[in-house]
Amino acid sequence: MNKDFGSFERFKQEFSQAANSTEGSGWAILTLCPVTDRLFIMQVEKHNINVIPNFKVLMVLDVWEHAYYLDYKNVRPSYVEAFWNIVNWEEVNRRIEIEILANSVNLVDNRRVLDMKLEEFKVNFDAWLESMK
């Protein structure tokens, strides 16, 4: 959180702002970019499925009215503020660690594949050069 947002308070402020400003019904989502290993916040609005593929949901806040109307009426900011009292940080941290580890493994696997493809290319290229003589 500190690396990607500067501080936990900044993260909390940005996530709350995303939740409060989600147009209509939707969600505020914390996710991790598999390429940069950076956390970021997305909004999913109005039943859209605009979650970026391969970006895992690490934490989500449902801001559809059905999630809070009985307790908070139409005062979404109070609902969002109360959300911070129930976040399971152990689970959020576990998900972040798993994603970072999975991305590291994928990088190693991708490097192995790249190395194999380069070797295959070299062998084929050398054979092609020989055939041109």
Side-chain angles (χ1 to χ4, degrees), residues 94-110:
R94 185 186 73 79
R95 291 177 182 188
I96 291 170
E97 288 171 2
I98 286 170
E99 283 309 301
I100 289 172
L101 180 60
N103 292 343
S104 297
V105 169
N106 287 338
L107 287 175
V108 169
D109 287 346
N110 289 342

Side-chain angles (χ1 to χ4, degrees), residues 1 8 11-20 26-31 41-42 57-64 67-68 71-72 75-89 91-92 95:
M1 300 273 173
F8 175 77
F11 159 72
K12 183 178 171 183
Q13 177 186 10
E14 289 186 24
F15 191 89
S16 294
Q17 182 178 3
N20 284 320
W27 303 270
I29 297 172
L30 175 67
T31 190
I41 299 164
M42 301 192 280
V57 173
L58 305 173
M59 183 175 83
V60 63
L61 175 53
D62 182 351
V63 290
W64 290 31
Y68 62 88
D71 292 326
Y72 296 92
V75 187
R76 186 185 288 181
S78 295
Y79 167 71
V80 171
E81 186 59 35
F83 167 76
W84 297 107
N85 297 321
I86 63 165
V87 175
N88 182 343
W89 290 112
E91 180 62 17
V92 173
R95 291 177 182 188

Side-chain angles (χ1 to χ4, degrees), residues 3-133:
K3 177 180 73 115
D4 297 326
F5 295 99
S7 69
F8 175 77
E9 284 305 314
R10 175 73 185 265
F11 159 72
K12 183 178 171 183
Q13 177 186 10
E14 289 186 24
F15 191 89
S16 294
Q17 182 178 3
N20 284 320
S21 64
T22 298
E23 188 176 329
S25 54
W27 303 270
I29 297 172
L30 175 67
T31 190
L32 181 80
C33 175
V35 176
T36 63
D37 278 340
R38 294 198 60 166
L39 294 168
F40 70 97
I41 299 164
M42 301 192 280
Q43 291 176 313
V44 177
E45 300 177 337
K46 299 183 208 161
H47 310 321
N48 289 331
I49 307 299
N50 59 350
V51 176
I52 302 170
N54 299 320
F55 282 54
K56 301 288 192 283
V57 173
L58 305 173
M59 183 175 83
V60 63
L61 175 53
D62 182 351
V63 290
W64 290 31
E65 250 184 17
H66 70 256
Y68 62 88
Y69 190 80
L70 290 177
D71 292 326
Y72 296 92
K73 302 298 181 226
N74 60 350
V75 187
R76 186 185 288 181
S78 295
Y79 167 71
V80 171
E81 186 59 35
F83 167 76
W84 297 107
N85 297 321
I86 63 165
V87 175
N88 182 343
W89 290 112
E90 285 182 27
E91 180 62 17
V92 173
N93 287 330
R94 185 186 73 79
R95 291 177 182 188
I96 291 170
E97 288 171 2
I98 286 170
E99 283 309 301
I100 289 172
L101 180 60
N103 292 343
S104 297
V105 169
N106 287 338
L107 287 175
V108 169
D109 287 346
N110 289 342
R111 180 56 199 238
R112 283 189 198 127
V113 169
L114 180 59
D115 288 344
M116 289 187 309
K117 293 292 182 187
L118 286 172
E119 185 59 32
E120 180 182 323
F121 173 79
K122 182 182 178 304
V123 167
N124 290 335
F125 186 74
D126 289 345
W128 177 78
L129 282 177
E130 278 299 312
S131 73
M132 298 306 284
K133 290 183 181 178

